[in-house]
Amino acid sequence: VQAVFRSNLSHLLDLMGSGKESLIFMKKRTKRLTAQWALAAQRLAQKLGATWRDQKQILVHIGFLTEESGDVFSPRVLKGGPLGEMVQWADILAALYVLGHGLRVTVSLKELQSNLGVPPGRGSCPLTMPLPFDLIYTDYHGLQQMKQHMGLSFKKYRCRIRVIDTFGTEPAYNHEEYATLHGYRTNWGYWNLNPKQFMTMFPHTPDNSFMGFVSEELNETEKQLIKGGKASNMAVVYGKEASIWKGKEKFLGILNKYMEIHGTVYYESQRPPEVPAFVKNHGLLPQPEFQQLLRKAKLFIGFGFPYEGPAPLEAIANGCIFLQSRFSPPHSSLNHEFFRGKPTSREVFSQHPYAENFIGKPHVWTVDYNNSEEFEAAIKAIMRTQVDPYLPYEYTCEGMLERIHAYIQHQDFCVAPGPALPGAHTPQSPFVLAPNATHLEWAQNASLAPAAWPPAHSLRAWLATPGRACTDTCLDHGLICEPSFFPFLNSQDAFLKLQVPCDSTESEMNHLYPAFAQPGQECYLQKEPLLFSCAGSNTKYRRLCPCRDFRKGQVALCQGCL
Ligand code: UDP
């Protein structure tokens, strides 16, 4: 069946159920954004023209909202608890619905069981039963619940699951045996999924799929109006919880010399003691009022926590400049409580790396807060800087629809992955060394261009410098690492074509392979396809990296990916 775009979201609101504070928050958001989604659907429909889109049957099981996993969020919605997750789930539901797919939403174990066809009273069904869904979107909590209650069919159908995973899961942490042997075990488990089945809030590592969310969009008239109405000396502090203000007196004091400081910190009856008296605290605001506040403000300022939420994007979309602190040394699971035990080794160089790297100046200023002069100079410069409201395409409704459309139509983890594992015979890989002899390109007339997605001809392969990860190596060349291309490179022939002098070639399980080890002139190939990883580095190795181009403002998709 062909999927048909939808612009009326009232049936979706019914599907979302009711009762919980978190659902109320999500439904309000969906309602408020209806017109924006409808317009985006129209535009994407035009862009895609006659492209066929399969209608999928989709289950969305929001594990963290189930009583069985403790539902710790709902009671905190009114107290400034993590709303980012709810923003994202609301937007995922809207996108799937607007794209025209068949949708079921569950927020309890009972509903999950009845949708999966597990007989009531039985813990799990021992037989493999047909699954009435093509796709299941869930989170780590939901994954655990499905494993417990689907019996054998979990294994059979797990390729249909997509895990919404805010901070991401790197391949080394996902592979059970490897994680256990090499110290990558975490509380989140090792599910042996295809790493692309994990979907993140920001494009952290291309090993996972970037899901994202949307921010409210402005039309030209609104943009002009907002630019005219800015109070050049008004600052809003990022963070709804009082704890983030602790120990920040020095910065607040400096900022207060120049600007009127506003906060949206949750409080019960009194001003939280962490928030100084010169700050105008509005308490936690309903989302539309928070947007209004951002429209008036000149500066949105972060004090290091929370990490990587939606609010800075909303602030920039509403014409604020975002000022944040640089982390030196970077924060990671090795040195910071928040990231400890998370299945990633990513190093976070500022409070909001996406804002820093994908948006940057003049919208985003990342400075060393330990240096009071640098901090003060930034504030003064910001007050003199004019900016337009800005929202990257990938965070617009159209951008999110486009991306999810592409994933749904092209990502299939139920088929065995590509070619060229060591041992398998690929007589000749279809590359040539580029004319400037720096990297490999897909040969123009290669007869065996396989029907891969992303299309294999967008591949550019580089040998990284020692100690450099493939994520960074590709970025160095204005490209993005594409893990699904690793199989094409995992051969002696690829090293040969790059003129790497391998004395010998071995095949092992290691998330840094394929790679070349300089001391022994040894070339290593990857034995386990699940361990292909863009992330990861070691000074011992020069990694062989598959990169591809990407659309401007839509890093998840290559030029020829739609
Ligand atoms: N937000 C809100 N009221 C406020 C402050 C923030 O509704 O007073 C919303 C904001 O619009 C954003 C969401 O809370 O979409 C999440 O914000 P944040 O970036 O702080 O992420 P979190 O840490 O909650 O995941």
Side-chain angles (χ1 to χ4, degrees):
V1 186
Q2 160 100 283
V4 180
F5 282 105
R6 299 189 182 106
S7 54
N8 180 344
L9 302 191
S10 56
H11 178 57
L12 171 62
L13 296 174
D14 295 338
L15 283 175
M16 288 167 78
S18 57
K20 289 171 186 292
E21 226 33 85
S22 38
L23 291 175
I24 295 171
F25 175 90
M26 287 162 60
K27 287 170 78 169
K28 275 192 197 151
R29 176 176 175 82
T30 306
K31 226 189 220 160
R32 202 169 59 246
L33 294 181
T34 297
Q36 198 174 307
W37 282 114
L39 188 63
Q42 237 177 48
R43 289 193 186 136
L44 183 62
Q46 231 165 44
K47 190 168 179 179
L48 294 178
T51 313
W52 175 271
R53 298 187 303 115
D54 271 340
Q55 187 192 41
K56 306 282 185 185
Q57 295 308 316
I58 299 179
L59 173 69
V60 177
H61 177 61
I62 312 178
F64 77 91
L65 291 183
T66 63
E67 305 296 330
E68 291 79 8
S69 77
D71 186 11
V72 289
F73 280 178
S74 292
R76 290 173 59 199
V77 168
L78 298 177
K79 301 188 179 184
L83 299 181
E85 270 84 354
M86 273 158 244
V87 164
Q88 192 185 27
W89 279 105
D91 295 349
I92 292 169
L93 286 171
L96 296 173
Y97 188 79
V98 168
L99 286 170
H101 298 291
L103 205 55
R104 283 293 175 85
V105 186
T106 58
V107 291
S108 75
L109 192 54
K110 225 171 88 190
E111 295 167 303
L112 174 68
Q113 285 174 310
S114 89
N115 275 286
L116 292 175
V118 178
R122 276 233 239 147
S124 73
C125 184
L127 302 167
T128 48
M129 53 217 164
L131 183 70
F133 300 102
D134 304 304
L135 283 168
I136 300 179
Y137 290 80
T138 189
D139 53 15
Y140 264 117
H141 297 283
L143 196 57
Q144 187 66 45
Q145 292 169 347
M146 283 179 216
K147 187 181 171 177
Q148 263 164 21
H149 297 278
M150 282 171 79
L152 288 177
S153 53
F154 179 77
K155 214 169 173 171
K156 181 167 169 200
Y157 293 123
R158 68 179 173 187
C159 57
R160 299 191 191 177
I161 296 176
R162 306 291 181 266
V163 184
I164 304 304
D165 168 16
T166 309
F167 293 93
T169 297
E170 288 172 10
Y173 298 80
N174 166 62
H175 187 270
E176 177 169 9
E177 186 190 341
Y178 190 73
T180 308
L181 283 172
H182 300 280
Y184 295 107
R185 277 179 71 142
T186 68
N187 292 337
W188 304 95
Y190 23 76
W191 292 84
N192 297 313
L193 298 179
N194 183 315
K196 283 272 184 199
Q197 286 175 265
F198 295 99
M199 306 187 112
T200 55
M201 190 132 180
F202 290 92
H204 298 310
T205 162
D207 292 313
N208 302 139
S209 299
F210 160 48
M211 169 55 83
F213 58 93
V214 305
S215 174
E216 288 171 55
E217 289 164 53
L218 304 171
N219 62 33
E220 279 314 312
T221 331
E222 288 169 318
K223 278 187 194 167
Q224 289 314 319
L225 219 64
I226 286 173
K227 265 183 87 175
K230 287 269 175 205
S232 64
N233 65 341
M234 177 175 164
V236 176
V237 173
Y238 179 19
K240 312 176 238 72
E241 290 177 78
S243 56
I244 69 129
W245 297 70
K246 237 170 138 170
K248 303 296 184 291
E249 298 80 5
K250 197 172 87 189
F251 310 121
L252 289 165
I254 297 174
L255 182 59
N256 190 44
K257 289 203 295 190
Y258 302 94
M259 299 182 100
E260 181 182 282
I261 308 175
H262 294 247
T264 59
V265 183
Y266 170 77
Y267 64 96
E268 234 130 64
S269 53
Q270 278 173 354
R271 166 182 295 275
E274 295 88 343
V275 180
F278 56 73
V279 172
K280 187 166 174 11
N281 186 25
H282 301 262
L284 183 71
L285 291 174
Q287 229 181 3
E289 285 172 42
F290 179 61
Q291 306 283 335
Q292 289 306 323
L293 189 69
L294 293 174
R295 287 179 187 197
K296 277 184 263 155
K298 174 76 188 170
L299 172 67
F300 191 60
I301 180 168
F303 286 122
F305 195 85
Y307 298 106
E308 309 182 294
L313 288 192
E314 295 168 359
I316 296 161
N318 283 298
C320 299
I321 289 177
F322 177 50
L323 174 62
Q324 61 164 351
S325 59
R326 168 165 295 127
F327 297 155
S328 173
H331 297 184
S332 75
S333 50
L334 294 178
N335 63 9
H336 260 257
E337 208 37 59
F338 180 84
F339 287 108
R340 202 175 306 266
K342 293 212 163 56
T344 171
S345 58
R346 190 165 61 98
E347 294 186 300
V348 176
F349 287 85
S350 61
Q351 183 173 4
H352 207 295
Y354 179 86
E356 181 184 2
N357 300 323
F358 285 75
I359 303 179
K361 271 191 179 164
H363 306 277
V364 180
W365 296 51
T366 306
V367 308
D368 177 7
Y369 280 25
N370 291 323
N371 181 337
S372 309
E373 275 144 43
E374 194 181 329
F375 178 74
E376 189 160 347
I379 292 169
K380 285 201 260 184
I382 285 169
M383 290 179 74
R384 292 191 305 266
T385 306
Q386 284 292 324
V387 294
D388 285 324
Y390 174 68
L391 182 62
Y393 178 72
E394 55 206 355
Y395 284 97
T396 64
C397 288
E398 187 186 333
M400 184 165 180
L401 287 176
E402 178 184 87
R403 186 169 63 248
I404 299 188
H405 149 75
Y407 291 154
I408 291 181
Q409 301 303 321
H410 298 290
Q411 285 186 331
D412 185 351
F413 305 115
C414 296
V415 293
L421 282 172
H425 277 292
T426 37
Q428 279 271 297
S429 64
F431 314 110
V432 287
L433 188 66
N436 58 1
T438 53
H439 63 281
L440 294 182
E441 293 177 349
W442 200 261
Q444 289 274 316
N445 54 358
S447 53
L448 23 79
W453 191 85
H457 59 77
S458 63
L459 186 151
R460 304 276 177 283
W462 298 78
L463 193 65
T465 52
R468 198 104 177 117
C470 285
T471 42
D472 301 323
T473 299
C474 293
L475 289 175
D476 291 344
H477 299 290
L479 300 167
I480 189 94
C481 179
E482 178 50 67
S484 46
F485 289 159
F486 269 116
F488 298 126
L489 291 183
N490 196 35
S491 69
Q492 223 168 340
D493 184 60
F495 283 107
L496 203 71
K497 290 228 167 98
L498 268 170
Q499 306 176 337
V500 176
C502 307
D503 270 358
S504 63
T505 306
E506 267 181 67
S507 154
E508 285 172 16
M509 264 191 356
N510 186 321
H511 70 289
L512 304 178
Y513 295 172
F516 171 62
Q518 218 131 23
Q521 306 278 0
E522 199 152 2
C523 290
Y524 292 100
L525 302 181
Q526 178 62 263
K527 207 166 151 184
E528 169 53 68
L530 282 180
L531 283 176
F532 284 130
S533 172
C534 292
S537 65
N538 184 314
T539 46
K540 228 178 100 184
Y541 298 116
R542 300 189 63 182
R543 303 190 56 192
L544 185 48
C545 301
C547 314
R548 65 158 165 83
D549 59 31
F550 55 90
R551 292 169 172 255
K552 197 170 174 296
Q554 183 73 289
V555 72
L557 302 181
C558 68
Q559 300 291 353
C561 267
L562 267 189

